Amino acid sequence: MPTNAPNQASNAEESTSNFPFVGWLRDVAPYIHSFREKTFVIAFAGELVQEAGLENLIEDIAMLHAMGMRIVLVHGIRPQIEEQLKLRKIKSKFGKSAMHSYRITDAAALECVKEAAGELRLDIEAAFSRGLPNTPMAGSRISVISGNFITAMPVGVVDGVDYIHTGLVRKVDSTSIKLSLDSNKIVLLSPLGFSPTGQAFNLAFEDVAASTAAALKADKLIFLSPYEGLRDDEGDFITELSMPQMQDYVMQHKDLDLGMKGMLNIAGRAIRAGVSRVHFLPCNQDGALLEELFTHDGIGMMLASSDIENLREANQDDVGGILQLTMPLEEEGILAARGQDVIERDIQRFSVIEHDRVLFGCAALFPFPNGVGELACLAVDPDVQGSGDGERLLKRIEMRAKQEGIKKLFVLTTRTEHWFLKRGFKRATVEDLPEERKQIYNWDRKSMVLTKDL
């Protein structure tokens, strides 16, 4: 590293300190590159409209569209249906099972569904059409396509209850949707579907979104809902789940809200059908969509399959693979030297990422007194750098640290300071290290000290 590199870094920070958006834009640029031409199905509950959040959400989606993302938007209408029913003095009727709570949609309720869906669809299209100067929509030219993309079938009679005009998604016209997306349109879907005979059905917006995401093999399915996120046994919000973890959670938490349980099962169906990621966000928090997509920690919970399943704790069989990852970095002076005997001794402190039984990344957690832990040996194979494996390993170590009661992480680095700073770490000094770690600090390496509160 050149001797003047620290000065250059401090000057850069000083030059952007008066213009925070410059640093922010640089931070989000990798996400913009990664998401360009990707297909996102974004589904929001009707409660978001009641919270007066529609206008801001449309502006955020318009920005995603301008960045080159292919957007399918699905809206819910449950509170809007309730309003229509009250206006007509019609009582709501629901049938319940262990996995869902469907509205019983008779002929009168179906008219309310059509009224609510039509009104909200027009409001959304109008919001995309705005282009006033000095607003986020200024200069935007966004075409929105709606249509009969969803073929539905009746729920039928379940446990002796006839749901009449309540339906399920039977088929999604993915070809027509893709043609619209290819033409740079935003596709807008309402929770209504039609049978081949022309009969209309009231659908769950979650079902429409998940079925559409599965048919398109979407890169992300994003739900903005009124349900509170899942919490672990310590009461902390869960930020990431694998499919097996999600299934175990549902089995263990019998008192889970029926709506959230149904949405989790629908999300699991989408994952099994090939959707890469499903995100669950609060619908009552302005900017939640952007914060989830463009910040490292996000704001909601993510459900995924293969990447998490390949992320595990290390065992003695992994020692050779870890050495292959760390030795080149040790030779360059990026990592402190650790011999095979040291790695074998500390193997239980390592987490690894493997693909097809080959290790592509590793990291270790070493606990110290007073709720402090060290993140060490973070290494990713050069062939897959930039794929997000480093971030997944960091999140894994943070999760392990929380489980062990660690409240603060520290890391020593000579080359990757800014990577850690972008992920929530802050600069510290050797004096901030635990006493036991200070005693073995290598003053010849002059590693920078960074810390992060968990």
Side-chain angles (χ1 to χ4, degrees), residues 225-413:
S225 78
Y227 305 119
E228 187 183 55
L230 304 183
R231 294 178 181 269
D232 59 23
D233 294 337
E234 296 180 355
D236 297 324
F237 281 110
I238 297 172
T239 59
E240 199 169 83
L241 278 178
S242 67
M243 281 289 292
Q245 289 171 332
M246 184 271 284
Q247 292 164 349
D248 289 343
Y249 189 96
V250 173
M251 290 293 294
Q252 294 171 10
H253 294 77
K254 303 298 184 182
D255 58 344
L256 187 62
D257 183 276
L258 198 59
M260 185 65 184
K261 183 185 293 186
M263 191 160 64
L264 287 171
N265 282 288
I266 285 175
R269 188 184 74 199
I271 289 287
R272 288 189 292 271
V275 177
S276 299
R277 299 282 189 276
V278 181
H279 299 256
F280 304 88
L281 311 179
C283 70
N284 59 354
Q285 187 159 336
D286 184 27
L289 178 62
L290 298 182
E291 189 170 348
E292 177 72 5
L293 292 177
F294 297 114
T295 63
H296 170 64
D297 292 328
I299 194 174
M301 182 182 75
M302 182 179 74
L303 176 66
S305 56
S306 59
D307 286 335
I308 296 179
E309 290 168 1
N310 290 333
L311 183 55
R312 58 174 177 79
E313 313 318 333
N315 56 57
Q316 289 295 333
D317 293 336
D318 298 316
V319 172
I322 292 173
L323 284 170
Q324 287 183 344
L325 290 168
T326 58
M327 285 181 64
L329 299 177
E330 292 176 4
E331 292 171 359
E332 292 183 42
I334 297 175
L335 290 180
R338 283 178 172 83
Q340 179 174 340
D341 57 337
V342 175
I343 293 179
E344 288 179 348
R345 182 195 68 195
D346 297 329
I347 192 64
Q348 78 279 2
R349 307 307 314 174
F350 281 80
S351 297
V352 295
I353 281 183
E354 66 172 356
H355 301 283
D356 296 326
R357 300 183 180 180
V358 177
L359 293 193
F360 280 84
C362 66
L365 172 67
F366 294 96
F368 287 85
N370 301 319
V372 178
E374 179 180 8
L375 165 63
C377 269
L378 178 57
V380 176
D381 189 292
D383 291 338
V384 296
Q385 285 182 1
S387 66
D389 281 352
E391 294 195 15
R392 283 189 280 274
L393 282 164
L394 174 58
K395 285 188 175 182
R396 183 67 165 211
I397 293 299
E398 290 177 353
M399 181 190 73
R400 289 185 64 179
K402 290 178 181 178
Q403 290 174 346
E404 296 183 25
I406 293 172
K407 304 298 183 183
K408 175 180 285 189
L409 277 182
F410 71 87
V411 63
L412 305 181
T413 180

Side-chain angles (χ1 to χ4, degrees), residues 13 27 416-427 450-451:
E13 288 166 7
D27 287 343
T416 54
E417 177 192 22
H418 287 279
W419 189 90
F420 287 106
L421 290 174
K422 288 180 179 179
R423 286 150 183 85
F425 284 80
K426 297 180 180 179
R427 292 186 179 90
L450 304 171
T451 63

